[in-house]
């Protein structure tokens, strides 16, 4: 089953470092003088990635992923996974897996911006589905280098991430952390 509580727990356990990386990086946008990864370079007349993709963001997101990986690792023994009536497939979280998830999330996000610029969508303008799913695709792709994934997790995460991402960005916008509500 894709949409059950067991799949949800397993999938969230895996993806929290990526959510944190992607969700916290916009805080950097409050700072001026960050360094765009594309260094202002253009490709076919449009920015390669755009001003919103910075080295600071890539590094910070990767670090956040690793930190959350560590926190999950430390929390593991205190969590009641064993009381589940169905044995859960909880991936062994680690700093390394967290770093991969964080870096993967930021890479997917970067690839998403690359595609947006090729479609001539300016920085910060919405690209439905792509805006929500790019980081999750990147995070899952990189995690696959370390662990096997269940297809159910991928499907469930694609669905709930779309909903959570929209809700989280609305909140970020209301808190004035994000400049646009998407
Ligand atoms: N950010 C960053 N570096 C990254 C990714 C994100 O500094 N590698 C920060 C930027 O301040 C960015 C904000 O997080 O504006 C929100 O990220 P996102 O919504 O992905 O970027 P947008 O500015 O909307 O640009 P795009 O249209 O390319 O998605
Ligand atoms: Mg955006």
């Amino acid at each position: 089953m894709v949409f059950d509580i067991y799949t949800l727990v397993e999938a969230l356990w895996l993806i929290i470092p990526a959510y944190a990386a992607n969700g916290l990086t916009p805080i950097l946008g409050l700072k001026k003088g960050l360094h765009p990864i594309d260094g202002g370079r253009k490709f076919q007349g449009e920015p390669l990635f755009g001003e919103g993709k910075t080295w600071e963001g890539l590094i910070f997101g990767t670090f956040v992923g690793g930190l959350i990986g560590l926190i999950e690792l430390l929390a593991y023994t205190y969590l009641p996974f064993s009381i589940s009536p169905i044995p859960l497939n909880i991936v062994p979280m680690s700093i390394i897996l967290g770093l991969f998830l964080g870096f993967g999330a930021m890479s997917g996000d970067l690839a998403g911006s690359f595609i947006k610029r090729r479609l001539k969508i300016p920085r910060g303008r919405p690209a439905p589905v792509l805006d929500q799913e790019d980081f999750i695709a990147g995070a899952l792709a990189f995690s696959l280098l370390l662990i096997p994934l269940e297809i159910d997790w991928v499907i469930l995460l694609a669905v709930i991430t779309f909903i959570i991402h929209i809700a989280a960005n609305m909140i970020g916008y209301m808190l004035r952390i994000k400049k646009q509500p998407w």
Side-chain angles (χ1 to χ4, degrees), residues 19 22-23 26 109 129-136 159-172 178 181-182:
Y19 273 8
N22 189 69
D109 175 60
V129 183
L130 194 58
D131 278 335
Q132 290 80 34
E133 305 287 352
D134 55 6
F135 82 94
I136 219 84
V159 173
I160 64 168
T161 301
F162 187 76
I163 299 161
I164 293 175
H165 195 272
I166 288 173
N169 280 346
M170 296 286 252
I171 293 166
K178 282 213 54 137
W182 46 77

Side-chain angles (χ1 to χ4, degrees), residues 56-139:
E56 288 85 352
L58 183 68
I59 294 164
F60 178 74
T62 306
F63 170 80
V64 167
L67 183 67
I68 301 295
L70 171 64
I71 292 172
E72 287 196 53
L73 176 68
L74 297 175
Y76 179 75
T77 42
Y78 302 101
L79 294 170
F81 292 130
S82 59
I83 66 168
S84 169
I86 293 176
L88 296 174
N89 180 8
I90 299 293
V91 298
M93 189 48 74
S94 62
I95 297 176
I96 294 289
L97 181 54
L99 289 170
F100 269 61
L101 287 161
F103 183 77
M106 301 320 292
S107 302
D109 175 60
L110 192 62
S113 291
F114 178 80
I115 295 169
K116 282 173 78 172
R117 299 301 93 82
R118 304 291 70 76
L119 298 172
K120 300 198 191 307
I121 301 169
R123 179 233 170 140
R125 298 298 303 161
V129 183
L130 194 58
D131 278 335
Q132 290 80 34
E133 305 287 352
D134 55 6
F135 82 94
I136 219 84

Side-chain angles (χ1 to χ4, degrees), residues 9 13 80 85 96 122 125 139 142 157 165 175:
V9 169
W13 172 259
I96 294 289
R125 298 298 303 161
F142 272 80
L157 286 172
H165 195 272
L175 294 174

